[in-house]
Amino acid sequence: MLAKNTQVKCGDCPIRHRAVCARCETDELERLEEIKYYRNFEPGQTIVWSNDKMDFVGSVVKGVATLTQTMEDGRTQMVGLLLPSDFVGRPGRDGSAYDVTATTQVVMCCFRKKPFEKLMADTPHIAHRLLEMTLDELDAAREWMLVLGRKTAREKIASLLAIIARRDPRPDLPSGIEASFDLPLTREAMADYLGLTLETVSRQISALKRDRVIVLDGKRHILVPDIGRLLEEAGDDSDGGYLV
Amino acid sequence: MLAKNTQVKCGDCPIRHRAVCARCETDELERLEEIKYYRNFEPGQTIVWSNDKMDFVGSVVKGVATLTQTMEDGRTQMVGLLLPSDFVGRPGRDGSAYDVTATTQVVMCCFRKKPFEKLMADTPHIAHRLLEMTLDELDAAREWMLVLGRKTAREKIASLLAIIARRDPRPDLPSGIEASFDLPLTREAMADYLGLTLETVSRQISALKRDRVIVLDGKRHILVPDIGRLLEEAGDDSDGGYLV
DNA sequence: CGACGTGTTGATTCCTGTCAATACTCGTGG
DNA sequence: CCACGAGTATTGACAGGAATCAACACGTCG
């Protein structure tokens, strides 16, 4: 469970320019190297329990993880989707407010918390980058509030697909297909993200397939013939500020 | 519209110890004084338009403002409720992603953006406090995602009332009343916050009144005889981590 | 093969949205 | 002073979309 990976030099790290360390100078990277270690997680495995003390913070290097909240009666809501380069943990706080769970194989680059906090205090680059990333996450959370509060089931599904398509671009596209990606989530996880039931998710995916908005290749691989159409279905401003 | 108020010395400011300036030393406060100015807004007045260029950032000193997003067809979702000491604007970004609107009389303490960003770069106290506040806002946004995605209309209303009761405590309580506050929002604004229609909001408030969870004094003043009961109705963990 | 996890589809219920009528408060102006 | 209208709030009737309950299909792994 705690099996450490072969360490990757920060300079060679695939998320080097997007993660919390993006702005670091060489000497700062060296200090980060000293306090970092890798951890692997299997699909379904919990990375942090809500309200547990966290002794580390870190970045997702590979894979997908989720942040979820659960009510006493079992209703659960996903409140964040963590993709490579996303940051986990809150400097200055003891624990996580949410369950963090791996949905695929996940590689985390962890930093021991205390030294990381010290490093943050010493070097402005890390703190500054973290503020920037937190502001982005806040924007994403607020964007998601619109989805949860005001969109129909069909629009919710289309919004989720649009987000994943946006963050996971692929070059190898057959003609007549503008985007293509694997769903890293089960129907149930999608339901938890969207505030729906898994049956409704399944029905709406079928409906989008029937209406040719998407094409399925197996249960988990999605092809999008026309991204503009998908964004339209998502209820987003279709003047395409996002892609293309 | 731009009428400047009598400036208040930072040392005498009512939000001095909670706002973005909370950690500042005397000399930092002096630099803030130089770039700050007050602005008043009337109820209903827009403070910033979504996608507009913002040339200032600032703190709410008095009153209540809202952050909202609107879809092309008019559906709107409130994504933030700004109470005194809350921060408006995003250093490093050009504009606001949301409409910011005053719902009551609002006094804002504004800082010209460029000098404020410079000050942030120079002094770690402001940046650090801003990170802390942004992390809190992110938590609040995620908490709200659970409300929007998974709670029933009745639970949503109870959740909103609980939040306002928590942030606006009053000492002058008649016996048999554990909390008392004015609703700073119209039924429509509450609906936009909760992802409901104003009719449903009205009905659920009536239902909570009928069931003696709350007592109304006029349309806007709420009395809560039993806060535990309210939290229970909100679906929150009733072991009362919050109040009392 | 049978059990289990995952996903699809159908029948039905019910919560919330929609449409509509009415009440109340507060200015404004005749 | 009262009529009028605008904004806000309440309540009712009805419709519709998503939840619920349930059956079944598919793939994997023991």
Side-chain angles (χ1 to χ4, degrees), chain A residues 97-172:
Chain A
Y98 317 101
D99 292 325
V100 184
T101 311
T103 64
T104 63
Q105 284 244 147
V106 166
V107 178
M108 291 269 312
C109 174
C110 304
F111 306 105
R112 283 180 294 126
K113 190 148 161 259
K114 280 272 175 282
F116 184 84
E117 284 170 356
K118 180 151 188 343
L119 201 47
M120 263 187 61
D122 291 352
T123 74
H125 287 130
I126 294 176
H128 188 261
R129 175 67 185 143
L130 190 55
L131 174 58
E132 194 170 62
M133 292 175 73
T134 305
L135 285 168
D136 282 341
E137 276 186 271
L138 185 57
D139 276 352
R142 285 173 167 163
E143 182 90 17
W144 207 248
M145 288 170 68
L146 176 65
V147 173
L148 290 173
R150 291 302 186 192
K151 292 195 177 178
T152 65
R154 171 184 266 244
E155 289 170 334
K156 285 179 174 180
I157 298 287
S159 298
L160 177 58
L161 297 181
I163 283 183
I164 295 175
R166 184 162 72 219
R167 293 201 51 170
D168 184 20
R170 297 281 190 80
D172 57 330

Side-chain angles (χ1 to χ4, degrees), chain B residues 15-70:
Chain B
I15 58 170
R16 164 75 179 89
H17 55 301
R18 281 180 300 150
V20 70
C21 49
R23 303 281 178 70
C24 289
E25 311 288 351
T26 320
D27 57 326
E28 292 164 341
L29 279 188
E30 275 163 18
R31 292 190 55 188
L32 275 175
E33 297 261 19
E34 282 166 27
I35 62 171
K36 92 177 190 192
Y37 57 96
Y38 275 33
R39 280 178 69 179
N40 291 329
F41 297 90
E42 296 303 309
Q45 196 180 345
T46 297
I47 298 175
V48 192
W49 291 100
S50 137
N51 299 321
D52 253 25
K53 194 154 161 295
M54 277 182 80
D55 53 347
F56 67 92
V57 298
S59 302
V60 176
V61 177
K62 244 181 79 186
V64 179
T66 63
L67 293 182
T68 56
Q69 282 189 95
T70 304

Side-chain angles (χ1 to χ4, degrees), chain A residues 9-12 16 21-34 36 119 123 125-126:
Chain A
K9 291 285 267 184
C10 287
D12 301 331
R16 164 75 180 90
C21 48
R23 303 281 179 70
C24 289
E25 311 287 352
T26 321
D27 57 326
E28 292 164 341
L29 278 189
E30 276 163 17
R31 292 190 56 188
L32 275 176
E33 297 261 19
E34 283 166 26
K36 93 177 188 193
L119 201 47
T123 74
H125 287 130
I126 294 176

Side-chain angles (χ1 to χ4, degrees), chain B residues 214-244:
Chain B
I214 58 175
V215 177
L216 266 74
D217 173 16
K219 301 290 185 197
R220 294 288 192 91
H221 196 82
I222 306 277
L223 306 172
V224 183
D226 179 351
I227 290 197
R229 177 80 193 286
L230 182 63
L231 289 175
E232 217 173 278
E233 292 285 355
D236 285 355
D237 224 325
S238 51
D239 59 20
Y242 293 117
L243 292 153
V244 182

Side-chain angles (χ1 to χ4, degrees), chain A residues 187-198:
Chain A
R187 298 289 186 263
E188 186 179 20
M190 293 174 69
D192 285 342
Y193 201 5
L194 297 165
L196 298 170
T197 59
L198 64 91

